[in-house]
């Protein structure tokens, strides 16, 4: 399954239309970019046989980050969608009106816009009574951008931030300092305990980011190729190169999902989203590498074991067939070609009995003897026709149903055809 990562353009609301270009990254293995380009929503590539997961990335300039401590009972039972199945089993599908009201009340004095015009998303694994990160963006802008993708039949299955702050003492998912853009409009994304801030890139912005980190050690700087030289000059040290495609692909692996409240899907869709997220985490996360190797070794051992067992059974069957063929050819040297050993052996035995004058269950005498034991006294046969081991008798038509059981016990099958009863050795019997 391929992954299509689409950057939602930070455009004015009225600028969105079917012709709006979207920057995108297509990855066939979900690990490295396969294609990076810009196209209208209807021209965005779709995957092959395995399908495509569409991940929408909200750019850093469209999000603000706020650290809150949720009052106890805010999340309730099933307040929001989380990025783990364990958490999802305790929650519903993306947020409750009560949680929305709590967030509006807590953020009212921190926002430049009316809370009702904004969309909020709470960090994964949020807990009552604990400090959590809350992302906020313009609701109508997000709705318009997603609507264009949906109209082009590329609906987003997840919505992730371009950058996300670390949770508690955890390390940030991205490098602490990222330099983006072009030399004329370079920007510095600073990621840390203060959240995510986006500033015009300058020596002062670097000093501020270093001060926010509260560390004497120089922070790791990652820069896009276009601004790498500028970043090295202002930072006074080498920087790591990273393209925007690699950055968005890394963002798609984030545990965050901004599709909450009105943007969350149904409970069923949410379940499959959570399941896909868990599968992706298991397949890619470094901490699961040993488990993946163990699972692969176990699967390989099972396949090898089944093949070995099948080979052993096949060899055993071949040996048994060889024994049967040898028994036939050694007992009856006249048989040169073995096609069906049991049938050929039975035929040779019948020929020997016939040559020696010994009775056989296929003889008329044997059939009449069995018929005599099966019929009640006083019954008279009116006609007998015997040909090639099959006897046809008349006069017992009324007794056809009562003869089947006794004849079957002696190794014969009987059936009624018109006014005749047909008697012959039962398949597989040796009368």
């Amino acid at each position: 399954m391929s992954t299509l990562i689409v950057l939602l353009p930070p455009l004015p609301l009225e600028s969105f239309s079917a012709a709006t270009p979207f920057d995108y990254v297509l990855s066939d293995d979900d690990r490295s970019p396969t294609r990076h380009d810009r196209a209208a929503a209807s021209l965005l590539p779709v995957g092959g046989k395995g399908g495509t997961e569409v991940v929408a990335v909200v750019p850093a300039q469209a999000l603000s980050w706020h650290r809150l401590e949720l009052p106890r009972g805010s999340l309730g039972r099933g307040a929001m969608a989380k990025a783990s199945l364990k958490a999802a089993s305790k929650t519903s599908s993306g947020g409750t009106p009560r949680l929305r009201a709590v967030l509006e009340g807590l953020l009212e004095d921190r926002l430049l816009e009316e809370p009702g015009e904004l969309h909020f998303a709470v960090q994964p694994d949020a807990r009552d009574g604990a400090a959590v990160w809350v992302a906020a963006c313009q609701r109508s802008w997000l709705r318009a951008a997603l609507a264009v993708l949906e109209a082009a039949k590329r609906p987003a299955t997840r919505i992730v931030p371009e950058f996300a702050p670390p949770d508690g003492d955890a390390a940030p998912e991205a490098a602490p300092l990222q330099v983006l853009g072009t030399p004329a409009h370079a920007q510095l994304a600073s990621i840390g305990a203060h959240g995510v801030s986006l500033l015009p890139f300058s020596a002062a912005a670097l000093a501020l980011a270093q001060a926010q980190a509260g560390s004497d050690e120089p922070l790791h700087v990652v820069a896009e190729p276009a601004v790498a030289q500028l970043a090295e000059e202002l930072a006074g040290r080498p920087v790591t190169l990273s393209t925007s495609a690699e950055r968005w692909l890394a963002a798609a692996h984030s545990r965050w999902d901004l599709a909450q409240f009105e943007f969350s899907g149904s409970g069923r869709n949410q379940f499959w989203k959570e399941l896909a997220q868990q599968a992706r985490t298991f397949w890619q996360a470094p901490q699961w590498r040993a488990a993946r190797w163990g699972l692969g070794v176990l699967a390989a051992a099972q396949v090898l074991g089944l093949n070995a067992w099948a080979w052993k059974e096949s060899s055993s069957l071949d040996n048994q067939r060889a024994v049967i063929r040898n028994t036939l050819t050694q007992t009856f040297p006249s048989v040169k070609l073995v096609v069906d050993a049991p049938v050929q052996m039975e035929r040779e035995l019948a020929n020997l009995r016939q040559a020696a004058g010994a009775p056989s269950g296929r003889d008329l005498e044997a059939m009449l003897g069995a018929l005599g034991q099966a019929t009640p006294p006083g019954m008279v046969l009116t006609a007998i026709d015997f040909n090639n081991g099959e006897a046809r008798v008349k006069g017992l038509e009324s007794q056809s149903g009562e003869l089947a059981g006794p004849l079957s016990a002696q190794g014969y099958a009987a059936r009624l055809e018109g006014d005749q009863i047909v008697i012959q050795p039962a398949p597989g019997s040796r009368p």
Side-chain angles (χ1 to χ4, degrees):
M1 183 177 184
S2 58
T3 304
L4 176 64
I5 303 157
V6 182
L7 181 72
L8 303 182
L11 300 174
L13 186 63
E14 61 274 8
S15 300
F16 284 101
S17 67
T20 300
F22 289 82
D23 288 307
Y24 72 87
V25 177
L26 181 67
S27 175
D28 291 335
D29 58 5
D30 206 24
R31 297 179 182 176
S32 58
T34 304
R35 192 191 318 171
H36 176 207
D37 206 342
R38 172 180 289 193
S42 59
L43 300 179
L44 292 174
V46 293
K49 298 179 180 179
T52 302
E53 181 194 19
V54 180
V55 180
V57 177
V58 178
Q61 58 264 45
L63 283 172
S64 62
W65 296 91
H66 310 275
R67 190 72 167 170
L68 301 176
E69 185 170 329
L70 297 178
R72 293 194 177 277
S74 301
L75 295 176
R77 293 188 60 193
M80 54 172 302
K82 301 179 182 179
S84 69
L85 290 179
K86 180 179 179 181
S89 66
K90 302 176 182 177
T91 61
S92 62
S93 61
T96 63
R98 178 181 179 181
L99 176 60
R100 169 83 195 186
V102 169
L103 294 177
E104 288 185 1
L106 293 174
L107 293 172
E108 185 175 7
D109 296 333
R110 305 190 190 185
L111 300 170
L112 299 178
E113 299 182 65
E114 289 297 323
E117 297 178 359
L118 299 177
H119 167 64
F120 301 118
V122 184
Q123 74 176 49
D125 304 324
R127 298 187 304 274
D128 284 340
V132 298
W133 282 108
V134 177
C137 69
Q138 236 252 344
R139 183 193 296 178
S140 55
W141 167 83
L142 181 59
R143 185 187 299 116
L146 295 176
V148 175
L149 294 177
E150 205 157 327
K153 298 182 179 179
R154 272 80 168 172
T157 55
R158 287 192 302 132
I159 308 172
V160 299
E162 186 174 20
F163 301 111
D167 178 14
D169 297 330
E173 295 179 349
L177 298 179
Q178 304 233 357
V179 185
L180 324 171
T182 62
H185 299 90
Q187 291 182 306
L188 175 68
S190 174
I191 306 157
H194 62 282
V196 179
S197 57
L198 197 63
L199 303 171
F201 183 49
S202 64
L206 270 175
L208 176 61
Q210 186 72 48
Q212 287 177 329
S215 173
D216 295 333
E217 292 292 328
L219 296 178
H220 181 212
V221 180
V222 174
E224 292 183 348
V227 291
Q229 183 177 355
L230 177 62
E232 288 186 351
E233 292 174 357
L234 292 181
R237 58 184 182 274
V239 300
T240 302
L241 293 180
S242 177
T243 65
S244 57
E246 293 171 336
R247 183 172 72 250
W248 298 334
L249 183 59
H253 296 158
S254 170
R255 296 171 59 248
W256 276 83
D257 190 353
L258 305 181
Q260 300 176 22
F261 299 102
E262 64 181 278
F263 294 98
S264 65
S266 64
R268 180 180 178 86
N269 291 338
Q270 190 66 24
F271 169 78
W272 288 112
K273 286 170 63 177
E274 302 292 354
L275 188 62
Q277 176 69 11
Q278 287 299 308
R280 186 180 299 105
T281 300
F282 176 78
W283 188 251
Q284 297 170 350
Q287 62 267 29
W288 289 103
R289 184 177 292 112
R292 292 195 294 268
W293 273 102
L295 187 61
V297 170
L298 180 61
Q302 292 291 329
V303 171
L304 290 175
L306 287 174
N307 286 335
W309 178 80
W311 175 81
K312 180 180 178 181
E313 291 297 313
S314 177
S315 299
S316 177
L317 287 174
D318 290 341
N319 291 336
Q320 293 179 15
R321 294 191 187 100
V323 169
I324 294 174
R325 287 195 300 268
N326 292 337
T327 302
L328 173 61
T329 54
Q330 291 174 8
T331 306
F332 303 101
S334 59
V335 177
K336 303 300 183 183
L337 177 64
V338 179
V339 179
D340 189 336
V343 173
Q344 290 175 276
M345 188 175 294
E346 183 180 351
R347 186 183 302 119
E348 294 298 325
L349 287 173
N351 293 337
L352 287 176
R353 283 196 296 265
Q354 184 176 6
S360 168
R362 298 180 177 274
D363 294 338
L364 178 60
E365 293 83 355
M367 292 186 183
L368 292 179
L371 184 61
Q373 296 179 29
T375 54
M379 299 300 297
V380 178
L381 301 180
T382 58
I384 300 174
D385 182 19
F386 180 78
N387 184 31
N388 196 23
E390 182 180 87
R392 295 174 176 269
V393 299
K394 295 182 179 181
L396 302 176
E397 297 80 18
S398 61
Q399 300 293 321
S400 59
E402 301 175 4
L403 294 176
L407 286 175
S408 177
Q410 300 180 68
Y412 292 96
R415 68 179 186 275
L416 181 64
E417 289 187 1
D419 60 348
Q420 301 179 20
I421 294 179
V422 180
I423 304 172
Q424 62 186 116
S429 66
R430 296 289 184 269

